[in-house]
């Protein structure tokens, strides 16, 4: 298992050594930084949204589809938010949310879709389920997530560094 | 010119970039996307101050498709030439070296974008580029400066963005759709995502093309004029970039901001000397109309 990276006291300076593009399985049970599982089948959009969320201070685990998301959950005792595309191959976002909520009934879920979606409310309060429409802007995403989780601004910044500087789309890895 | 990241080329390039960029480039062994040779040749026309008319005509004529595009452009009503222009030599004589160079650079840069231009975000980048070029030219016509070179500097100011588009044809356009901010905040988000921003990429790119320093400054510092001290051209291009966004030729949308908002003029073109700025803003409606006409004329050059 990848050892936990030390917590940074502030924003990571630019130009430091490249870090893994994904956050490893969360080993710190007492961490107060919200952990988000982001599921999106488009790799470019997935990497983009994960980058926005990480630099806003959240821990982010990514998955390309429902099956990969279920596998990713094995390494995490608890999630704070599931952000998922609705239309995906094999298992759509609603089926994934139901599967994850079978394990964690009070999980908050934010659906991303280009179409209006009807979603089952979660077991938690009225803000347990949200929906945001595509095309999605950074400020809209962060406002929705902050509204559902509370802003991570009060938390210490996470150990996020700039992505390895690559000039091709096949560069930064973002899988689980 | 091949601009791939072979070790020898990186080593050679390392002497021409900033220490930060050099360290990053060498450590990560990155690669810039190669630029088509015909585009390089056209942009190469900008590298000399005193390029001969015959050299320009020969370079443009070397590629039949490019030559046809230049001739087509030269025959549009925008340039107001009486009679039909039937050869590149004739076009160069009538329009002048500077205008043909600017035209060739426009065609070369558009060719560099290639199929990416089907994406709305890339189309916005292209429109912002030609609008900034037109605005820089109009500023020069109104308050002083070389109009054709100002056009070219405006055209090249976002060449780093073009490189990022070609290198990340999916992710960077998606980023431009989602990142609803501009200026230094946008640069930071680019660095977060890609490890470098479009100004760093632009500086690198113009250095690789051996373009004159003034074009390097505009590509590398149009969001931070304090870094080099505002040369006349940099001040003009920075103002043109801001004004073109104000006119509606923006790349990234801003929440709750309308185009042509008079109250937002307070924050644009501040890089210009006060007297020039006052003159320019007093006729901003005419400026906007002239830029719009020039943008439409340029776009019509490429319509099927």
């Amino acid at each position: 298992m990848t050892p936990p990276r030390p917590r940074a006291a502030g924003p990571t300076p630019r130009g430091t050594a490249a870090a893994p593009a994904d956050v490893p399985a969360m080993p710190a049970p007492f961490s107060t930084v919200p952990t988000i599982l982001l599921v999106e089948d488009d790799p470019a959009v997935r990497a983009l949204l994960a980058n926005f969320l990480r630099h806003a201070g959240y821990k982010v685990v990514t998955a390309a589809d429902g099956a990969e998301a279920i596998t990713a959950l094995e390494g995490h005792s608890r999630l704070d938010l599931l952000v998922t595309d609705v239309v995906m191959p094999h298992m759509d976002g609603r089926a994934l949310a139901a599967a994850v909520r079978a394990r964690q009934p009070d999980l908050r879920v934010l659906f991303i879709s280009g179409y209006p979606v009807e979603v089952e409310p979660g077991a938690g309060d009225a803000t347990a389920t949200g929906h945001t429409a595509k095309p999605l802007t950074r400020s809209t995403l962060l406002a929705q997530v902050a509204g559902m989780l509370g802003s991570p601004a009060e938390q210490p910044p996470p150990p996020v560094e700039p992505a390895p500087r690559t000039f091709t789309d096949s560069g930064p890895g973002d899988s689980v | 010119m091949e601009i791939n990241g072979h070790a020898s080329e990186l080593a050679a390039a390392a002497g021409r970039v900033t220490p930060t960029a050099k360290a990053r480039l060498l450590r990560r062994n990155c690669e810039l996307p190669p630029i088509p040779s015909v585009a390089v040749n056209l942009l190469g026309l900008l590298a000399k101050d005193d390029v001969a008319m015959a050299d320009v005509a020969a370079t443009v004529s070397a590629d039949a498709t490019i030559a046809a595009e230049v001739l087509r452009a030269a025959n549009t009503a925008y340039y107001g030439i009486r009679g039909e222009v039937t050869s590149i030599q004739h076009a160069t004589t009538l329009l002048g070296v500077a205008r043909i160079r600017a035209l060739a650079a426009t065609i070369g840069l558009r060719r560099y974008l290639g199929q990416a231009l089907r994406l709305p975000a890339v189309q916005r980048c292209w429109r912002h580029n030609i609008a900034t070029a037109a605005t820089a030219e109009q500023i020069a016509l109104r308050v002083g400066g070389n109009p054709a070179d100002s056009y070219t500097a405006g055209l090249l100011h976002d060449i780093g963005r073009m490189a990022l588009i070609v290198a990340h044809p999916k992710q960077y356009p998606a980023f431009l759709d989602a990142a609803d901010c501009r200026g230094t905040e946008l640069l930071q988000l680019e660095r977060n995502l890609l490890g470098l921003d479009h100004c760093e990429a632009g500086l690198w790119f113009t250095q690789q093309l051996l373009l004159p320093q003034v074009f390097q400054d505009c590509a590398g510092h149009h969001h931070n004029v304090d870094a080099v001290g505002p040369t006349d051209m940099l001040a003009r291009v920075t103002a043109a970039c801001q004004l073109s966004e104000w006119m509606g030729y923006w790349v990234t949308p801003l929440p709750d901001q309308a185009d042509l908002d008079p109250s937002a003029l307070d924050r644009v073109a501040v890089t210009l000397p006060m007297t020039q700025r006052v003159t320019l803003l007093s006729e901003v409606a005419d400026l906007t109309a002239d830029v719009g006409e020039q943008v439409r004329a340029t776009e019509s050059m490429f319509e099927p």
Side-chain angles (χ1 to χ4, degrees):
Chain A
M1 188 176 81
T2 306
R5 282 175 277 150
R7 301 298 301 273
T12 306
R14 291 173 47 205
T16 54
D22 206 348
V23 175
M26 186 171 64
F30 304 110
S31 171
T32 57
V33 177
T35 300
I36 298 171
L37 174 58
L38 170 66
V39 189
E40 164 64 56
D41 58 334
D42 185 321
V45 174
R46 182 171 68 246
L48 179 65
L49 300 183
N51 185 271
F52 286 160
L53 290 168
R54 287 188 183 115
H55 282 273
Y58 300 104
K59 288 187 176 178
V60 183
V61 181
T62 60
D65 55 35
E68 200 173 309
I70 298 294
T71 303
L73 287 173
E74 301 301 323
H76 294 76
S77 58
R78 186 170 179 81
L79 290 172
D80 295 286
L81 176 67
L82 168 67
V83 178
T84 180
D85 195 1
V86 172
V87 180
M88 295 185 294
H90 310 308
M91 177 188 284
D92 71 18
R94 282 168 291 201
L96 171 63
V100 177
R101 275 179 168 157
R103 287 176 39 140
Q104 189 179 323
D106 61 344
L107 178 68
R108 293 166 188 271
V109 179
L110 176 60
F111 291 102
I112 305 172
S113 173
Y115 310 95
V117 289
E118 291 185 9
V119 293
E120 294 294 324
D125 58 37
T127 63
T129 303
H131 169 253
T132 189
K134 291 181 176 178
L136 186 60
T137 65
R138 173 177 167 270
S139 58
T140 301
L141 172 68
L142 296 184
Q144 284 262 18
V145 169
M148 297 182 79
L149 286 179
S151 170
E154 298 173 4
Q155 309 290 343
V160 175
E161 297 179 4
R165 186 257 193 224
T166 57
F167 249 118
T168 62
D169 264 344
S170 58
D174 63 347
S175 59
V176 173
Chain B
M1 183 188 301
E2 191 78 5
I3 313 179
N4 268 332
H6 304 304
S8 59
E9 290 170 333
L10 278 175
R16 300 196 294 271
V17 298
T18 63
T20 304
K22 179 176 68 175
R24 184 182 297 124
L25 290 167
L26 292 176
R27 185 172 60 250
R28 293 175 178 163
N29 193 26
C30 67
E31 294 188 353
L32 273 166
I35 188 166
S37 60
V38 62
V40 169
N41 290 339
L42 294 175
L43 293 173
L45 293 174
L46 307 172
K48 301 176 191 170
D49 289 333
D50 55 348
V51 62
M53 192 175 289
D55 290 343
V56 173
T59 303
V60 173
S61 300
D63 184 293
T65 309
I66 295 287
E69 289 191 55
V70 171
L71 279 180
R72 182 180 173 188
N75 280 299
T76 58
Y78 181 77
Y79 291 108
I81 297 174
R82 289 187 175 185
E84 187 178 8
V85 182
T86 55
S87 72
I88 294 300
Q89 289 81 0
H90 190 200
T92 309
T93 303
L94 292 174
L95 295 178
V97 168
R99 180 57 59 196
I100 291 292
R101 286 203 309 181
L103 196 52
T106 305
I107 293 169
L109 201 57
R110 185 178 168 93
R111 180 162 289 207
Y112 180 53
L113 289 175
Q115 295 300 310
L117 268 165
R118 289 178 298 187
L119 298 173
V122 180
Q123 291 168 8
R124 293 199 304 272
C125 286
W126 175 246
R127 278 172 62 83
H128 174 69
N129 253 35
I130 58 177
T132 299
T135 307
E137 178 176 336
Q138 292 297 327
I139 291 173
L141 287 169
R142 283 169 163 80
V143 299
N146 181 309
D149 284 349
S150 297
Y151 173 94
T152 305
L155 184 75
L156 296 179
H157 86 289
D158 263 352
I159 194 171
R161 198 168 252 163
M162 307 297 145
L164 295 180
I165 288 168
V166 174
H168 300 275
K170 293 180 181 175
Q171 193 168 51
Y172 191 63
F175 167 81
L176 294 175
D177 284 334
D180 45 358
C181 60
R182 293 175 193 164
T184 53
E185 186 180 359
L186 185 73
L187 296 181
Q188 181 61 56
L189 294 182
E190 289 174 340
R191 292 193 294 268
N192 290 348
L193 183 67
L194 304 173
L196 84 171
D197 60 51
H198 73 267
C199 288
E200 291 174 312
L203 184 59
W204 163 263
F205 215 42
T206 49
Q207 287 171 335
Q208 289 298 293
L209 292 169
L210 304 177
L211 297 187
Q213 185 68 43
V214 66
F215 294 141
Q216 294 181 23
D217 290 345
C218 291
H221 303 292
H222 60 273
H223 288 297
N224 180 22
V225 290
D226 294 338
V228 291
T231 60
D232 289 346
M233 185 70 87
L234 179 56
R236 206 175 300 135
V237 167
T238 301
C241 174
Q242 295 168 347
L243 274 164
S244 69
E245 286 183 337
W246 177 84
M247 293 174 194
Y249 303 104
W250 39 260
V251 176
T252 50
L254 284 185
D256 305 323
Q257 180 173 314
D259 299 333
L260 301 171
D261 176 8
S263 66
L265 275 178
D266 294 344
R267 299 187 292 275
V268 303
V270 294
T271 51
L272 293 174
M274 181 59 73
T275 53
Q276 293 186 8
R277 183 168 181 265
V278 169
T279 300
L280 199 64
L281 296 187
S282 69
E283 47 192 82
V284 72
D286 289 342
L287 175 72
T288 302
D290 290 342
V291 168
E293 183 184 348
Q294 198 166 346
V295 168
R296 284 189 293 276
T298 305
E299 288 183 321
S300 70
M301 286 166 43
F302 300 101
E303 288 171 355

